[in-house]
Amino acid sequence: MQFKWNYEPPTPEQQLAANELAEKIGMSPIMASLLIKRGIKTESAAKRFFRPMLNELIDPFLMNDMDVAVDRLNDAMGRKERIMVYGDYDVDGCTAVALVYKFLQQFYSNIEYYIPSRYEEGYGVSIKGIDHAVEAGVKLIIVLDCGIKAVEEITYAKERGIDFIICDHHVPDEVLPPAVAILNPKREDSTYPFKHLCGCGVGFKLMQAFAKNNGIPFSRLIPLLDFCAVSIASDLVPVEGENRILAFHGLKQLNQGCSIGLKAIIEICGLTGRELTMSDIVFKIGPRINASGRMQNGVEAVELLVERDLQKALTIATRIDEYNDQRRDVDKQMTEEANEIVARLESQQHQKSIVLYDEGWKKGVVGIVASRLTELYFRPTVVLTIINGVASGSARSVAGFDIYDAIKSCRDLLENFGGHTYAVGLTLKQENIPEFRRRFQEYVSHHIMPEQTQQTLDIDLEVDFQHITKRLLSELKKLAPHGPGNEKPLFMTRNVYDYGTSKVVGRHQEHIKLELVDSKSAVVMNGIAFGQSAAARYIKSKRSFDIVYNIEENTYKRGEVQLQIEDIMPSEE
């Protein structure tokens, strides 16, 4: 698709500030301009951004209830109570459980972990899980990446003598569960300075506080930071503030000495020997961890993440890789079916949102299908499946539109819901679907802004090819790790031409491998445009066009610069 391009050239004042900053930090004005656009305006701020320090992590005891949580955990250990570490079945939940379990297991043996079945128990804290805890003699449950809305379930557990420490990051309801401690930076009364931790991040803060309280050196936590990086990348939380510190050092750990389980996944993915990035986590590592909970049970993912023997880990990783292949097949089939339904439904074509359901769709894959449809049609999307008269599924949103509020406006029709601004899980009775669809679509049509209904590219800078050098590529690497809040910088160059050697490539001839020259500098640049073969005829016509792109390192020629082109537009437009 062709995007809407958003670009505001730097003002003379911004350009002057960039030139001054460039001189101070010994980098190019392009790099300095990118820093200023990110709010980094001084030499000291730039140094902190390039080298996030672990000693800059926020004091965990600034989080509401942290002192109570640590006291209760200490009491449980002192009284030799059985502890259960309970988590959601997605990447964030599984990494959070693995992190907390692995850390505590070094100091305490009367501990187990539990991941609910997506298909038998559904999302979050389940009665079945609590009953299992009762039978096992558990007295304390640390629940991660869920639990903030489990009022009835935690009340049920409390009546059976089980206490809860909640470590969650989802938006709470007005009524909080009767847990002994609720660690959630999104609490309305939260005093914690950073609001965007993932579930694994909240679990890490609990372990940081526990270590600090018990005189355990912080260095004992560092080997677990790889789980934080995997979780931050997969859960798409902002990579800024405390998350940038955790992701930066987590990636370092992932590349230099990660856990046996992650090492097995990396080997299965064919990533061994490469410098791993957040993109590798998002597209390779994360989906495999997720596949366990989507296709079977997320407990296998935790078994892998806590495994200490490489051969055993490789056996589990191979099995999980097979789940991922199955997931891809189901995902492809469901997306095709959903596209056919959208194409058939005239009412959907004119709506600013999509609500689809089918009894044959697999519960574990509806979230991925919702994401696919959102990307394809650029409309807030809800995809549901139906089991025994109950519809459950996922909602995904477009940039800038709060789908959590949209779902919340229909809460009287729902059995349960929870999530974030851009992703929500929900359940409702099958007979409520028509009214839910009507009200959800009505809410979206009244609240979504026109600019939110078209995919946009926010361009950082316009540059000429002569300024795209190996030195600039080296500087740009210092902006990583990337993600929401710190996206890879997007550049624009106008009036470029085919050098004469561009060609269509790919198994289905869907991509374009480009050699381009710009009209100002006569410098030739290599580029790749994925999925944009429709533009090939225009490119070969020798007419000029404009491009928006990231500057990347060529995967096959280390150190060589390559443009990853996001969009192409004829210059006269």
Side-chain angles (χ1 to χ4, degrees):
M1 69 177 292
Q2 198 169 75
F3 299 88
K4 179 184 177 185
W5 296 8
N6 284 340
Y7 179 59
E8 289 186 19
T11 64
E13 293 78 14
Q14 287 171 330
Q15 196 59 61
L16 179 62
N19 291 337
E20 290 175 354
L21 180 60
E23 197 171 316
K24 288 176 183 174
I25 63 176
M27 291 187 173
S28 66
I30 289 175
M31 186 63 170
S33 292
L34 294 172
L35 290 173
I36 286 171
K37 283 183 80 80
R38 284 158 174 72
I40 301 157
K41 299 177 182 178
T42 65
E43 183 181 2
S44 60
K47 286 179 178 175
R48 285 199 307 276
F49 184 79
F50 292 144
R51 300 295 301 175
M53 304 297 286
L54 287 169
N55 62 13
E56 294 175 342
L57 288 171
I58 300 166
D59 180 353
F61 286 100
L62 291 178
M63 192 176 292
N64 303 54
D65 283 2
M66 186 62 83
D67 52 344
V68 180
V70 171
D71 286 346
R72 181 65 186 89
L73 181 54
N74 285 334
D75 287 346
M77 289 181 164
R79 295 198 289 257
K80 295 184 169 50
E81 294 176 348
R82 187 147 186 83
I83 298 171
M84 175 185 281
V85 185
Y86 187 119
D88 189 22
Y89 37 63
D90 68 359
V91 178
D92 192 15
C94 290
T95 52
V97 167
L99 186 151
V100 171
Y101 178 79
K102 279 188 80 172
F103 188 68
L104 291 180
Q105 201 185 31
Q106 298 173 75
F107 313 102
Y108 192 69
S109 60
N110 195 12
I111 185 169
E112 64 177 278
Y113 57 83
Y114 186 90
I115 303 290
S117 164
R118 183 191 294 262
Y119 296 98
E120 293 179 13
E121 297 165 75
Y123 170 79
V125 179
S126 72
I127 296 298
K128 182 180 176 181
I130 293 167
D131 286 343
H132 170 80
V134 171
E135 288 174 20
V138 169
K139 292 299 178 185
L140 175 64
I141 295 178
I142 301 171
V143 60
L144 298 139
D145 192 36
C146 56
I148 196 63
K149 291 190 171 187
V151 176
E152 290 180 17
E153 292 82 0
I154 292 176
T155 301
Y156 176 83
K158 190 175 180 182
E159 289 167 354
R160 281 149 185 80
I162 298 175
D163 285 338
F164 265 78
I165 295 172
I166 296 173
C167 300
D168 205 351
H169 68 125
H170 296 97
V171 179
D173 263 345
E174 290 79 7
V175 178
L176 297 176
V180 293
I182 298 175
L183 309 178
N184 187 332
K186 290 193 177 78
R187 282 174 57 161
E188 277 195 16
D189 60 346
S190 176
T191 54
Y192 197 69
F194 186 68
K195 307 297 180 190
H196 304 295
L197 291 169
C198 57
C200 187
V202 180
F204 178 84
K205 297 308 293 187
L206 174 58
M207 293 302 94
Q208 184 189 359
F210 172 78
K212 187 175 181 180
N213 181 263
N214 286 280
I216 301 166
F218 182 84
S219 58
R220 298 285 293 270
L221 284 161
I222 292 174
L224 300 168
L225 287 171
D226 50 6
F227 292 142
C228 290
V230 170
S231 181
I232 288 166
S234 300
D235 222 48
L236 299 176
V237 290
V239 186
E240 56 192 20
E242 193 162 35
N243 280 343
R244 179 173 173 82
I245 301 171
L246 293 171
F248 181 91
H249 288 279
L251 271 178
K252 191 175 174 183
Q253 190 67 29
L254 196 65
N255 281 295
Q256 293 178 2
C258 67
S259 70
I260 295 295
L262 287 174
K263 189 176 289 184
I265 297 177
I266 290 164
E267 189 169 321
I268 291 295
C269 291
L271 296 172
T272 304
R274 274 182 47 180
E275 180 79 13
L276 299 173
T277 66
M278 299 291 267
S279 292
D280 292 317
I281 297 171
V282 171
F283 295 109
K284 299 279 188 179
I285 298 169
R288 282 166 172 81
I289 297 173
N290 252 336
S292 177
R294 291 189 189 283
M295 306 306 292
Q296 293 293 329
N297 192 311
V299 73
E300 285 186 88
V302 179
E303 286 173 9
L304 172 61
L305 294 175
V306 302
E307 182 55 63
R308 295 176 182 176
D309 180 272
L310 182 57
Q311 286 309 311
K312 289 180 182 175
L314 284 168
T315 300
I316 303 171
T318 301
R319 195 160 62 239
I320 282 176
D321 193 50
E322 291 169 2
Y323 296 155
N324 194 49
D325 289 339
Q326 294 167 21
R327 188 272 308 165
R328 270 198 292 253
D329 292 341
V330 173
D331 165 17
K332 184 173 181 290
Q333 179 189 336
M334 284 171 55
T335 302
E336 288 171 358
E337 290 173 4
N339 277 325
E340 287 173 10
I341 295 170
V342 174
R344 283 201 311 268
L345 290 176
E346 192 67 23
S347 61
Q348 294 281 356
Q349 292 176 7
H350 298 292
Q351 290 287 351
K352 293 180 179 176
S353 61
I354 295 170
V355 179
L356 298 178
Y357 66 96
D358 190 290
E359 292 189 29
W361 287 342
K362 194 168 179 68
K363 189 177 178 182
V365 187
V366 289
I368 300 174
V369 175
S371 295
R372 297 262 190 275
L373 295 176
T374 303
E375 291 166 10
L376 187 62
Y377 297 100
F378 212 68
R379 287 182 271 177
T381 299
V382 180
V383 178
L384 303 163
T385 186
I386 299 166
I387 301 170
N388 299 325
V390 177
S392 63
S394 294
R396 297 291 185 270
S397 194
V398 296
F401 183 77
D402 191 333
I403 202 163
Y404 183 87
D405 281 349
I407 298 292
K408 189 177 179 181
S409 72
C410 308
R411 65 183 306 163
D412 58 300
L413 299 171
L414 306 176
E415 299 299 300
N416 200 3
F417 75 101
H420 317 274
T421 302
Y422 295 121
V424 176
L426 65 156
T427 58
L428 67 158
K429 291 176 182 173
Q430 183 174 355
E431 60 262 30
N432 287 342
I433 294 175
E435 180 62 9
F436 168 77
R437 173 188 275 162
R438 185 192 70 77
R439 279 176 43 188
F440 176 78
Q441 292 182 331
E442 183 179 33
Y443 181 97
V444 174
S445 65
H446 283 115
H447 290 83
I448 200 163
M449 305 298 288
E451 61 269 20
Q452 293 170 338
T453 60
Q454 184 180 0
Q455 181 73 289
T456 59
L457 293 175
D458 294 318
I459 298 160
D460 287 274
L461 286 173
E462 181 177 355
V463 298
D464 299 330
F465 283 177
Q466 63 184 332
H467 298 303
I468 302 174
T469 62
K470 289 182 180 180
R471 182 192 169 190
L472 177 61
L473 177 65
S474 178
E475 290 179 353
L476 292 176
K477 287 181 179 179
K478 296 180 185 296
L479 293 173
H482 294 292
N486 184 38
E487 305 281 1
K488 288 182 181 178
L490 272 177
F491 300 95
M492 174 174 65
T493 302
R494 301 183 198 269
N495 297 307
V496 303
Y497 295 86
D498 175 27
Y499 190 59
T501 49
S502 298
K503 59 183 179 181
V504 174
V505 296
R507 184 184 300 176
H508 304 292
Q509 301 287 284
E510 67 271 41
H511 315 308
I512 317 175
K513 193 174 187 302
L514 297 144
E515 281 193 298
L516 304 174
V517 60
D518 74 357
S519 57
K520 292 185 180 179
S521 62
V523 172
V524 179
M525 290 297 306
N526 292 314
I528 183 77
F530 293 112
Q532 298 185 61
S533 58
R537 181 176 292 181
Y538 185 92
I539 288 167
K540 301 300 284 185
S541 72
K542 299 295 183 184
R543 288 177 287 178
S544 71
F545 51 95
D546 305 338
I547 54 173
V548 176
Y549 53 89
N550 302 120
I551 298 171
E552 306 278 1
E553 183 174 31
N554 190 316
T555 309
Y556 303 102
K557 297 179 181 176
R558 299 290 289 178
E560 292 295 315
V561 182
Q562 177 176 272
L563 309 184
Q564 184 165 312
I565 296 167
E566 297 297 318
D567 205 14
I568 299 166
M569 190 182 293
S571 293
E572 53 262 33
E573 289 186 18

